[in-house]
Amino acid sequence: MTAARIFAAVDASGAIRFVGDVPGGSACGCFCAVCGSPLVARKGDINVWHFAHEAQQERVECLVGAMNLLRRVAADYLRSLPRLVLPKYRRDVSRVLQTRRASETVEWDAQPVAVDWLEAGAQDAPIARLKLDTDAFADLSVEISDSPPVLRYPPADNHIGSIVFWSTVPVDSDLRKEIYARQHVHRWGRMVWLHQPDSYGLIADAQARLDAAGLAEERQLAEQARRDRERLERWHAENSKRPPPPAPARTEQLHLPPWARHKKANRPFFGFRFSGYGAWVLFEMEDGRAAIRQLDGKDRWFDLVKAPGAVFDSGLDVLVVPSFTIGQSILRGPLEATRISSDFADILQLR
């Protein structure tokens, strides 16, 4: 959650005072950390406890100032620790190759050997400069928000690391007293690395490996393309010297019955055998219509012809239907065997 009220102020000595740690009303002698105006502690039974300006000139900047006081509480908590323990630094290194995206994750441990504490100023200002055992330096800052910190821009100085002590915003009940706020920071606060100098050269090594893999893949793809191009050129050279193959003799046409010679060229025969209805053949005709013929010599046209537009052509001795799809719908039934072939001899085996 995000605090929407002023929950902390400063007293005449500059010390942080939470609304639950002071008496109600104006007796606390508290002032706004931003504008310096006197504040009144409102501690009723209905609304959330909070400070309000005596002149009621509530401003957004004053709410931000209260959150900055909470950062000071977190900074004081960090100062009270006997030593700062930092998590391992992890960094994903990637390179887009021609066929995939390659990546590596590198990590190393870096701990502070010296801490130079600074005054907690603006929200983004560091509270300490850390000297790491990697001979590098890193700035430590505090962030109180409901979203984890991320590195939104490249670091201004690539030689200085950046680490954030991050905690979620306490609920209203944990903002009443300073001890509650400290307990929340202690429980939920954690260190988050944003950037660290590549002191050991691990990032550079990983990037070099990925670059080498990219170059190797580019060379491999280029070599494969060259071999494919040479094979294609050889194929064209060999086939340009060969005479064109002779047209196949249409011997099949000589052996087809008259009705089957009306099949459209380069179209197959479709053979069917039905239980109780014998063997049938379906094919597309030269004019785009379809023809159905019974193969076993037993006329059963009137049992199957149910589609509109189906006409028996006595001259061709076939049943002609408007389209191949209609022919298939006519020959729908208890199918026992189906054979599809451009060889009429295979169709005849269905008889």
Side-chain angles (χ1 to χ4, degrees):
M1 61 158 290
T2 301
R5 300 173 185 268
I6 301 176
F7 53 86
V10 293
D11 59 16
S13 65
I16 301 175
R17 306 300 300 274
F18 278 68
V19 65
D21 295 328
V22 299
S26 59
C28 67
C30 295
F31 301 90
C32 176
V34 175
C35 66
S37 299
L39 298 178
V40 177
R42 300 192 184 280
K43 304 168 64 174
D45 297 330
I46 299 178
N47 296 325
V48 176
W49 289 6
H50 64 282
F51 286 105
H53 291 77
E54 285 187 349
Q56 297 183 354
Q57 71 276 23
E58 309 300 339
R59 298 183 300 175
V60 176
E61 306 92 280
C62 300
L63 296 177
V64 176
M67 293 301 298
N68 204 38
L69 292 178
L70 188 58
R71 288 182 60 251
R72 284 178 52 184
V73 171
D76 291 342
Y77 162 72
L78 294 176
R79 286 173 178 265
S80 68
L81 297 177
R83 60 187 292 263
L84 296 178
V85 179
L86 309 182
K88 285 187 176 182
Y89 179 70
R90 294 173 58 90
R91 171 79 175 271
D92 292 329
V93 185
S94 62
R95 187 182 194 277
V96 178
L97 308 182
Q98 291 194 24
T99 60
R100 59 190 175 91
R101 181 183 181 89
S103 64
E104 282 191 31
T105 299
V106 295
E107 65 176 22
W108 64 84
D109 190 29
Q111 297 300 326
V113 295
V115 180
D116 182 15
W117 293 102
L118 309 173
E119 289 296 328
Q123 183 172 354
D124 297 330
I127 64 169
R129 170 66 62 86
L130 311 180
K131 178 176 175 53
L132 306 176
D133 54 10
T134 61
D135 291 333
F137 291 89
D139 287 336
L140 171 63
S141 57
V142 174
E143 183 172 327
I144 309 296
S145 65
D146 291 324
S147 301
V150 294
L151 184 63
R152 296 180 176 86
Y153 306 101
D157 187 350
N158 198 48
H159 300 288
I160 302 296
S162 177
I163 189 169
V164 177
F165 180 76
W166 168 66
S167 172
T168 57
V169 180
V171 296
D172 291 332
S173 59
D174 286 344
L175 291 174
R176 283 192 175 188
K177 294 178 176 291
E178 183 176 357
I179 187 173
Y180 299 158
R182 281 181 171 271
Q183 290 172 349
H184 177 91
V185 168
H186 171 71
R187 180 178 181 182
W188 298 107
R190 61 186 178 93
M191 295 287 189
V192 179
W193 277 108
L194 299 184
H195 166 69
Q196 191 176 143
D198 189 17
S199 302
Y200 300 126
L202 299 180
I203 297 176
D205 291 343
Q207 191 67 62
R209 286 191 297 271
L210 295 177
D211 291 342
L215 293 176
E217 182 177 280
E218 290 175 3
R219 288 193 295 267
Q220 181 180 3
L221 293 175
E223 177 63 20
Q224 182 64 44
R226 183 189 64 80
R227 290 196 296 265
D228 293 342
R229 186 169 57 253
E230 290 179 351
R231 282 196 297 266
L232 182 60
E233 291 173 353
R234 286 195 301 269
W235 184 88
H236 281 298
E238 293 172 359
N239 285 272
S240 62
K241 299 176 182 178
R242 298 176 182 174
R250 297 182 57 86
T251 55
E252 177 189 342
Q253 189 74 13
L254 301 177
H255 303 290
L256 292 178
W259 58 266
R261 296 175 187 174
H262 294 277
K263 179 180 70 68
K264 191 173 184 178
N266 300 322
R267 294 291 191 272
F269 289 103
F270 291 77
F272 301 87
R273 169 167 289 281
F274 294 92
S275 176
Y277 286 95
W280 298 77
V281 62
L282 170 67
F283 60 90
E284 185 178 355
M285 300 176 66
E286 296 172 338
D287 59 3
R289 296 181 298 168
I292 302 174
R293 168 75 183 187
Q294 190 173 5
L295 295 177
D296 55 10
K298 298 179 180 179
D299 294 331
R300 294 194 176 96
W301 303 106
F302 297 102
D303 294 336
L304 293 180
V305 178
K306 298 179 181 179
V311 178
F312 180 71
D313 191 323
S314 58
L316 299 178
D317 201 22
V318 294
L319 181 68
V320 180
V321 294
S323 67
F324 187 82
T325 303
I326 296 177
Q328 285 183 309
S329 65
I330 292 176
L331 293 177
R332 184 179 297 123
L335 185 62
E336 290 184 351
T338 302
R339 175 168 297 181
I340 302 175
S341 174
S342 59
D343 189 348
F344 187 69
D346 291 339
I347 301 298
L348 295 179
Q349 292 181 13
L350 295 174
R351 293 185 300 181

